[in-house]
Amino acid sequence: MLDIKFIRENENAVRKMLADRKAEADLDGFIEADCRFREIVERVNGLKHEKNVVSKEISTEKDRAARQERIGRMKGLNVELRELDEESKAMEAKRNEIRLTIPNFPHPDVPVGEDESKNVTISTWGDPRKLKFTPRAHTDIGSSLDIIDIERGAKVSGSGFYVLKGYGARLERALLNFMMDIHSEQGWKEVWPPALVNSASMVGTGQLPKFEEDMYRLPKDDLYLVPTAEVPITNLHRDEILDGDDLPLRYQAFSPCFRREAGRHTGEEGIIRVHQFSKVELVSICHPDASEDELEKLTRDAEEVLKRLDLPYRRIILCKGDLSFSSAKTYDLEVYSPFEERWLEVSSCSSFGDFQARRAMIKFRRKPHLPSEFLHTLNGSGLAIGRTMVAILENYQLEDGRVELPKKLRPYMRGLEVISI
RNA sequence: GCAGAGGUAGCUAAGCUUGGCCUACGGCGCCGGACUUGAAAUCCGGUGGGCAUUCGCCCUCGGGGGUUCGAAUCCCCUCCUCUGCGCCA
């Protein structure tokens, strides 16, 4: 959510930002409602002031007739107020509703561009593997080793669900522990959050009201299945004023992630894009002056997982047209897939500036006597577990159909070196 | 799920029975000032949000309605916390 004064005073900048992002929001409606709201509020405040004065007079007035006269005046004021009050509430609601649909301002570092083709590669690590045989897809590998069962996932739940079995299931568990141990070393506090959250939390991080269609919702309880642990973790401190000395707050959490993923995606077969996947998420709540450095740390810390798994990857920065709604700046980490001969996104690390903090009312004080200010929030995958598994299967496959395990992961697999049937 | 007790400012905590003296008591923390060589102690003032920024005005007692000239206070709905019972891995 943008600062309301900023929108008022920088209408053109907001308009340009929307165009750069290829986003739409009813800015005219916002401005109209805001102007009208403020106009009415002034009159309402005047009337309320009069009411307060007269009410005070009634309480001290001894003369019965004078009292009655004032009570009559109050009744008149109330009639007038009722109408204006109604309109002011309607205008305020409209204004706020629209404000929730205006995306964040991109950071100045963010390159211009209308879609993902304009994203810029920042750095590359490791040499993409060239296998001496024809590589197979993770779906092939998974089914022939009987560790990924897509058919039965569909039977049990439907299309877009899969089942991990045997070493596949153990690999999931190993990756989770492997990742979280690394992040603990790096100073991220472990949290095990709820997988269901209320709508206030979803508004706080920006999933609602705009992306209702992307979420699973339980109408009976008005709860949502989390699309990422970002939601419960960032909302841990919703409506709180934190002590500046406690910053930054760095959390990591595992959670299942649920996404409806309505619509078709080509080139994302197998378990690349599914309705439920596991992810370790890093969330930082930090001082506004520290968020730029914090995004670098967060991204580096996520990269460390790929380095230890010895998976070649690159870091890209998303252009304005590809940037997500709440983000000010996003790095994606992509692992090379020798089968597809392309890069696969396994992490997305974003800085939100004060956009989420303003929605979720996460504040801090520099000193106890100073006014509270909004914090900055950041988060990133550290990493998406399902896609990391895909990357391991496709990068570490052997010609005979077996899959070697990255050396540092073996202790987490009870010493297993190679996955075979 | 049922019954009871609660939710008041950064924290703590009065007020609610009996509506107006609430411009929300007091304390802690913090800031500024006075005093002091300095500090402590003491005293004075400040310490939520919005609109205007010159004096000012409005809002704020978990949230939303209602009654009333007037609601922290009375009524209704709702959310959350705690205790007991029920259910349960």
Side-chain angles (χ1 to χ4, degrees), chain A residues 323-340:
Chain A
L323 202 61
S324 67
F325 178 79
S326 302
S327 177
K329 178 177 175 179
T330 297
Y331 294 125
D332 275 4
L333 302 181
E334 301 181 325
V335 178
Y336 188 75
S337 160
F339 164 72
E340 299 194 57

Side-chain angles (χ1 to χ4, degrees), chain A residues 172-382:
Chain A
E172 173 101 354
R173 196 156 55 87
L175 283 168
L176 156 61
N177 284 323
F178 178 73
M179 290 175 189
M180 291 191 84
D181 281 352
I182 292 172
H183 298 316
S184 290
E185 277 172 34
Q186 294 162 337
W188 301 84
K189 182 175 184 171
E190 282 186 41
V191 173
W192 201 273
L196 296 176
V197 296
N198 57 29
S199 55
S201 292
M202 294 290 267
V203 171
T205 31
Q207 283 74 21
L208 289 183
K210 260 203 115 171
F211 306 102
E212 172 105 46
E213 289 310 301
D214 300 345
M215 314 301 160
Y216 285 103
R217 177 170 176 234
L218 289 79
K220 202 171 174 182
D221 303 286
D222 195 26
L223 291 169
Y224 294 81
L225 274 71
V226 295
T228 157
E230 159 197 351
V231 179
I233 303 306
T234 307
N235 279 283
L236 241 35
H237 296 289
R238 172 157 48 83
D239 295 324
E240 288 186 16
I241 299 174
L242 303 169
D243 188 335
D245 295 338
D246 296 339
L247 301 174
L249 292 172
R250 292 181 177 135
Y251 295 112
Q252 61 160 325
F254 161 80
S255 86
C257 304
F258 301 94
R259 301 184 181 182
R260 293 188 62 230
E261 301 289 2
R264 292 196 175 278
H265 302 268
T266 50
E268 293 182 324
E269 291 75 22
I271 65 167
I272 305 248
R273 187 175 295 276
V274 285
H275 293 309
Q276 179 185 342
F277 62 95
S278 301
K279 181 159 60 63
V280 172
E281 185 77 359
L282 305 173
V283 173
S284 178
I285 297 176
C286 76
H287 199 283
D289 305 335
S291 63
E292 292 210 28
D293 291 342
E294 192 68 3
L295 179 61
E296 299 304 318
K297 175 189 165 54
L298 191 153
T299 311
R300 268 199 316 275
D301 287 356
E303 284 174 337
E304 181 61 23
V305 176
L306 292 171
K307 286 180 180 167
R308 293 203 200 176
L309 290 172
D310 202 14
L311 286 169
Y313 70 89
R314 66 179 187 183
R315 184 203 288 207
I316 63 171
I317 182 167
L318 300 191
C319 72
K320 289 184 181 176
D322 203 23
L323 202 61
S324 67
F325 178 79
S326 302
S327 177
K329 178 177 175 179
T330 297
Y331 294 125
D332 275 4
L333 302 181
E334 301 181 325
V335 178
Y336 188 75
S337 160
F339 164 72
E340 299 194 57
E341 295 181 330
R342 68 177 191 103
W343 299 88
L344 172 68
E345 179 189 335
V346 293
S347 174
S348 193
C349 303
S350 304
S351 173
F352 301 89
D354 61 9
F355 189 83
Q356 290 182 328
R358 186 172 279 113
R359 285 176 163 246
M361 289 293 288
I362 310 173
K363 304 176 115 184
F364 81 110
R365 288 181 211 279
R366 287 173 197 262
K367 289 271 180 275
H369 64 286
L370 292 173
S372 59
E373 299 169 61
F374 291 113
L375 288 153
H376 281 195
T377 61
L378 304 97
N379 67 59
S381 350

Side-chain angles (χ1 to χ4, degrees), chain A residues 25-131:
Chain A
D26 183 9
L27 196 57
D28 293 325
F30 171 86
I31 289 161
E32 194 192 319
D34 183 51
C35 287
R36 182 79 187 125
F37 168 70
R38 288 193 291 164
E39 208 178 291
I40 301 169
V41 157
E42 253 178 72
R43 287 173 57 199
V44 166
N45 282 355
L47 288 172
K48 282 186 176 170
H49 176 58
E50 198 180 339
K51 243 185 98 168
N52 287 340
V53 170
V54 176
S55 172
K56 193 114 291 174
E57 285 170 6
I58 291 172
S59 69
T60 51
E61 181 59 66
K62 299 263 162 51
D63 181 71
R64 187 162 294 176
R67 241 177 114 95
Q68 279 310 314
E69 183 270 329
R70 293 209 164 85
I71 288 174
R73 237 164 77 205
M74 287 287 267
K75 285 184 174 169
L77 282 170
N78 278 337
V79 172
E80 210 172 330
L81 254 174
R82 199 169 308 238
E83 245 173 75
L84 284 172
D85 224 24
E86 217 163 279
E87 195 186 348
S88 95
K89 273 182 185 165
M91 288 298 120
E92 190 181 20
K94 184 178 175 196
R95 179 190 79 175
N96 292 345
E97 232 165 77
I98 298 172
R99 184 150 80 122
L100 287 173
T101 67
I102 300 175
N104 198 3
F105 252 83
H107 187 277
D109 291 353
V110 173
V112 178
E114 60 282 354
D115 59 38
E116 59 182 25
S117 68
K118 297 293 193 301
N119 295 341
V120 177
T121 303
I122 303 285
S123 61
T124 308
W125 185 88
D127 297 316
R129 280 188 178 73
K130 291 220 167 58
L131 302 180

